[in-house]
Amino acid sequence: MGAKPNVRFCARWRSIVTESGRKRNDRFGEGEPEKRTASYRPNRLIALGKSHDLLLGGSLSKAPLRSVIENAVEIHQDRLDRFVIDGPLIMIGSRAALSLALMLHELATNAAKYGALSNASGRVTIDWQIDGDGEDASVTVRWAEAGGPPVEAPTRTGFGTRLIARGLAGSFDGEVDLRYPPTGVVCTIVAPQRGLMTS
């Protein structure tokens, strides 16, 4: 008999926490590694821990997408209108919840260093929608920054960018489009709803 969903989730969570520690010196861009690493690694683990608590606190294998998003970005919520979060009720499984939480944390960390979360006026809109019905339905999640300093595409690909663009989305059969228009970073994640519901 296979492991129960929550047991599998715990094992996956521990493995990513370990990997996060190993990659502590990888960053989105150039700059002051020691200063950034000091806050970056603990915050990443906090984001993971919040998703872990959300799913396992009540012995759950699924959680509302909205709750996963709110927990992932809470550490950056320094004012009520910093994030605009909007979309229909969608329940997602533990695998997608963990991966999305880490992806959103990476985006928020980057925004806090260089983007919309680095000044007093910037904000981030995170919205999602369902397209289609039944097993063929897909979910589109969009992260869009505005009000920050002009954005430039990074000159190198750090660990966080690789997590977003290639590594994590594959855990729920998702595809990621990460763009850097001058007005603010836009990340679009498209995934089959059945993939998001996998525990």
Side-chain angles (χ1 to χ4, degrees):
M1 181 180 295
K4 293 181 179 180
N6 285 343
V7 174
R8 294 197 302 269
F9 178 82
C10 284
R12 182 175 175 79
W13 181 77
R14 284 194 298 268
S15 70
I16 292 184
V17 168
T18 301
E19 180 68 7
S20 297
R22 290 185 185 137
K23 299 292 184 177
R24 63 187 179 276
N25 291 322
D26 287 313
R27 305 171 307 284
F28 269 97
E30 302 295 337
E32 303 164 272
E34 294 303 323
K35 184 181 296 185
R36 287 180 182 161
T37 298
S39 62
Y40 178 59
R41 180 172 54 163
N43 288 349
R44 179 189 285 173
L45 302 187
I46 288 170
L48 286 168
K50 285 181 178 295
S51 295
H52 177 269
D53 292 343
L54 175 66
L55 284 153
L56 299 184
S59 298
L60 300 174
S61 61
K62 290 182 172 59
L65 175 57
R66 175 182 290 274
S67 297
V68 172
I69 292 171
E70 290 174 344
N71 278 310
V73 301
E74 182 182 10
I75 196 168
H76 297 280
Q77 183 92 40
D78 56 353
R79 66 172 198 265
L80 290 177
D81 63 345
R82 181 65 94 173
F83 292 93
V84 178
I85 300 174
D86 184 55
L89 175 63
I90 302 176
M91 301 299 291
I92 65 174
S94 56
R95 181 181 301 176
L98 178 61
S99 295
L100 278 172
L102 191 50
M103 292 172 75
L104 291 168
H105 171 69
E106 300 296 338
L107 287 166
T109 298
N110 191 44
K113 294 175 183 176
Y114 314 111
L117 302 181
S118 68
N119 63 17
S121 59
R123 69 174 60 188
V124 177
T125 297
I126 309 171
D127 54 31
W128 61 95
Q129 65 183 37
I130 304 174
D131 299 302
D133 299 305
E135 292 186 357
D136 295 328
S138 65
V139 177
T140 300
V141 180
R142 184 172 176 269
W143 166 289
E145 299 179 28
V151 170
E152 296 182 3
T155 56
R156 70 182 186 91
T157 302
F159 178 59
T161 304
R162 293 196 299 272
L163 277 177
I164 295 168
R166 296 195 295 272
L168 292 169
S171 69
F172 49 85
D173 298 326
E175 296 182 358
V176 176
D177 181 34
L178 186 58
R179 297 178 183 267
Y180 301 89
T183 52
V185 170
V186 177
C187 181
T188 305
I189 304 164
V190 181
Q193 189 169 9
R194 63 178 180 275
L196 288 172
M197 295 180 67
T198 301
S199 297

